[in-house]
Amino acid sequence: DVGWSHLETLTGIGGRLPGSDAERRAAEATADAFSSVGARNVRLSEYDVTGWERGESRLAVDGDETFDVLALPRSPSDTAVGPFLDLGYGTPEEFEAADVDGRIVQVAAGTPDGYERFVHRTEKYGRAVEGGAAGFVFRSRLDGDLPMTGSLGTEDQPIGDVPAVAVSKEVGLLLARRFEGRRLTLDVTATVEPATSRNVHAELGPDTDEEILLTSHVDAHDLGRGAVDNGTGTAGVVEVLGALADVESELDTRVHAVGFGSEEINLVGSSYGAREIETDDVKAIVNLDGIAQSRDLEAYTHGFDALERVVEETADYFDHPIGTASGAVPFSDHWPFFSRGVPTCFVTTSDDRALRGWGHTHGDTLDKVDPRNFREQTVLIAGLVGALADADVETRHETVDAVEAKLDEEGHLDGLEKMGWWP
């Protein structure tokens, strides 16, 4: 129960916004947990971030009727006025067909069923800004008055260009039904100041030049308690380290665990980590994010055949299914490593409600995680990491040109450029 105990610790701390005191306490508690399971060389590496704290925000129609809204992290503290335009899911095609100049644009989270790829919130925001929108409204897909948060900006430009807020599904549908074309005032207040975040490192196994990266992110949004996203991932790293520590002498390759900070502000922590870690020595990265919101474990192997074989062999060994997909997923801490050609395995679980399940909402609390699912998934992941550490398993890095070609083939490049994630 060492991992589950750490999950309780993280959710007890609560929302862990990047650069906050809560994130610092979570990182220090994670370092203590790494040490407690027998990992060595446990350390924190600090870096500067742009801290952001939410103030009061409001959305008013014709200066009269007001609605509950939440500022999206790293929205500028500003006021926008303009006619309201609901743009559905905010797909590239919907933006191309609309005139968003000067308007308060609303888009829904996610993409239509059957759409060719996932369209991220920050891509939609980038398209709104590029089209001259005055403000941005992000509508949740979850029932139950649960606005869905998520950050804006890029590593180079931390604060967004126009004010942006989240609304619940219910409020967003009401706005679309009643106020299309009406004059809206969007007022956002927030505090922006320098802050510090940190990554947590630990190691197990032989002192080899080559290493397996086992990663997660420690931070979380300030809605809910960050249980699924990503308390489960960080608690999973602790649990897997504890299991591997019991067989440390049998590992052929060093296992380097990292709990990244500041994932929720466009992967700032893992981007820093990819610069401080010698990526040429990384045999593979196994990144855990949202690993226990269902029984359906999924491994995205990003086109690396050797990793897909190990995942399938692990599933066969335990006689337990693990879903695999070879497509690229840019939206977690493996991304700064995959973009450099590192063999990448992103491990998560599916959720039949919407997108990331309860993540990024007030509903992301400990009761959403089943301890049996958590135990089951960490058994499988421990087997996977242990198998990847075997000397007989060989992996090969890709060139950046090959990564770009894969992203282009899968239709990601245009969106990543709009997000500021690909030059």
Side-chain angles (χ1 to χ4, degrees), residues 61 131 194 211-212 237 247 270 299 347 368 418:
V61 180
E211 63 183 16
I212 304 291
V237 171
V247 292
S270 51
V347 181
K368 305 306 189 303
K418 292 292 186 293

Side-chain angles (χ1 to χ4, degrees), residues 155-197:
E155 187 175 7
D156 294 331
Q157 186 179 339
I159 303 301
D161 291 282
V162 301
V165 297
V167 297
S168 68
K169 177 180 178 179
E170 292 80 1
V171 168
L173 290 176
L174 186 153
L175 291 170
R177 187 170 63 248
R178 291 180 53 196
F179 300 116
E180 188 77 18
R182 296 275 294 276
R183 178 178 176 272
L184 264 62
T185 300
L186 179 59
D187 188 33
V188 172
T189 61
T191 302
V192 179
E193 58 188 9
T196 301
S197 187

Side-chain angles (χ1 to χ4, degrees), residues 2-21:
V2 62
W4 187 263
S5 175
H6 190 55
L7 179 58
E8 291 182 327
T9 296
L10 292 175
T11 56
I13 292 171
R16 307 178 291 279
L17 272 181
S20 67
D21 183 65

Side-chain angles (χ1 to χ4, degrees), residues 279-280 304 335-342 397-408 413 422-423:
T279 56
D280 288 345
F304 292 95
W335 167 249
F337 295 87
F338 172 63
S339 64
R340 289 165 167 80
V342 174
H397 286 224
E398 290 285 4
T399 65
V400 174
D401 286 345
V403 171
E404 183 172 66
K406 179 177 177 62
L407 294 170
D408 191 24
L413 273 187
W422 195 266

Side-chain angles (χ1 to χ4, degrees), residues 214-238:
L214 173 62
T215 66
S216 67
H217 69 89
V218 175
D219 63 308
H221 282 288
D222 57 346
L223 309 186
R225 292 187 170 271
V228 173
D229 184 13
N230 184 35
T232 57
T234 298
V237 171
V238 171

